[in-house]
Amino acid sequence: MSAPVRSRRTSVADIRALKGVRPIVSLTAYTAPMAQLLDPHVDFLLVGDSLGMVVYGFETTLPVTVEMMIAHGGAVVRGSNRSLVIVDLPFGSYQASREDAFRTASRILSETGAQGVKLEGGEEMAETISFLTERGVPVLAHVGLTPQLVNSFGGYKTQGRSEAEARKVRADAAAVAEAGAFAFVLEGTLEPLAREITAASPVPVIGIGASPECDGQILVSEDMLGLFNEFIPRHVKRYANLGASVGEAAAAYAADVKARVFPGLENTFQPKRGA
Ligand code: KIV
């Protein structure tokens, strides 16, 4: 009997090779069923620490723990079989030292089966990115608007408006690519700057609220599906309104329960003939 044929997962090398060939497609996923639905349509799934806000109802991503990322990372790996899966390193688990970063990243990779990690930061994280990549941990970097710095930025603000800010975003992008990141997310920058950075970068630039000219795009799935209404960033295009559908379905179910109407159960609890 021949072994079942399993399609190979996309690798970080495959993602790198897409630069200049075609746009890279990515979405976030936090659960196995959502990963299963998205898997056929994306190049990589990101288990983002945005799950702190979207799934757990926190106001920021800062309270997210390594244990949460491992639980959700494992679920997304089990729910998918062709996309690359990347898991975010949560706030406080990697910034203090490159050794801390390696300990967290290696635990996440070995306990979830994901193929890489994402971390936020530019020049200040370059040494850590080299340390990780040289030790077998592929890194997706994240520069521009980095949500874990919300307290330092004083909110979720577009980065690169002034020439000094633009210089910083440019330097961060160059530093993470030079340090060995296989790609980086560029979030919340003005379009001309994003276009310029994408043209100059040797590795793929994945935009979010940056520019259609980036090498690829990522969105929080619940934002684009209309499932998360607490905070809708300006860059999000809604491709569905599932929040409204869930509300309508719940209302219809409640009406059936109250009216004791259960079409699906009509035959289930009938006494057996002759009983
Ligand atoms: O946490 C996250 O989901 C992210 C993406 C939105 C890029 O960082």
Side-chain angles (χ1 to χ4, degrees), residues 4-261:
V5 180
R6 295 192 64 200
S7 59
R8 179 178 75 80
R9 266 188 201 272
T10 302
S11 67
V12 295
D14 295 330
I15 300 290
R16 269 196 89 140
L18 285 173
K19 185 169 174 92
V21 176
R22 69 148 170 86
I24 297 162
V25 184
S26 180
L27 284 167
T28 59
Y30 316 125
T31 64
M34 187 64 91
Q36 203 173 359
L37 292 170
L38 303 177
D39 190 43
H41 308 288
V42 300
D43 296 304
F44 74 89
L45 289 167
L46 173 69
V47 188
D49 61 356
S50 50
L51 66 80
M53 299 166 80
V54 176
V55 177
Y56 290 90
F58 296 131
E59 270 182 26
T60 69
T61 57
L62 304 193
V64 173
T65 64
V66 174
E67 284 66 31
M68 287 176 189
M69 297 313 298
I70 288 175
H72 289 274
V76 169
V77 169
R78 289 190 292 279
S80 59
N81 58 34
R82 53 171 295 285
S83 310
L84 175 78
V85 177
I86 301 296
V87 177
D88 260 348
L89 299 185
F91 180 66
S93 72
Y94 65 95
Q95 292 93 340
S97 71
R98 54 194 202 166
E99 286 79 11
D100 267 2
F102 184 77
R103 258 188 299 277
T104 308
S106 58
R107 199 179 148 209
I108 286 180
L109 294 199
S110 64
E111 293 186 33
T112 65
Q115 296 125 292
V117 297
K118 177 164 80 60
L119 57 80
E120 295 184 11
E123 287 180 293
E124 75 285 8
M125 292 312 299
E127 198 191 328
T128 297
I129 293 171
S130 301
F131 192 81
L132 294 183
T133 54
E134 284 160 11
R135 285 160 182 77
V137 179
V139 176
L140 175 66
H142 185 157
V143 303
L145 194 175
T146 44
Q148 292 179 7
L149 288 187
V150 60
N151 290 323
S152 311
F153 287 151
Y156 300 103
K157 294 183 182 151
T158 302
Q159 299 298 302
R161 284 192 191 279
S162 68
E163 190 37 49
E165 267 182 26
R167 225 177 298 120
K168 161 110 181 81
V169 182
R170 265 187 224 109
D172 284 343
V176 297
E178 169 75 24
F182 72 88
F184 60 88
V185 170
L186 179 62
E187 178 164 357
T189 57
L190 298 180
E191 163 142 1
L193 178 62
R195 201 179 317 119
E196 179 200 324
I197 288 174
T198 303
S201 171
V203 299
V205 179
I206 313 297
I208 174 163
S211 159
E213 298 300 320
C214 292
D215 298 304
Q217 299 294 327
I218 185 164
L219 281 180
V220 170
S221 296
E222 281 73 1
D223 283 343
M224 73 100 184
L225 293 171
L227 266 173
F228 183 64
N229 295 316
E230 289 302 307
F231 173 71
I232 307 163
R234 255 190 314 176
H235 59 263
V236 171
K237 175 175 171 186
R238 288 241 152 135
Y239 291 83
N241 196 359
L242 298 192
S245 304
V246 171
E248 283 160 23
Y253 166 74
D256 274 0
V257 172
K258 289 172 191 162
R260 299 185 190 281
V261 177

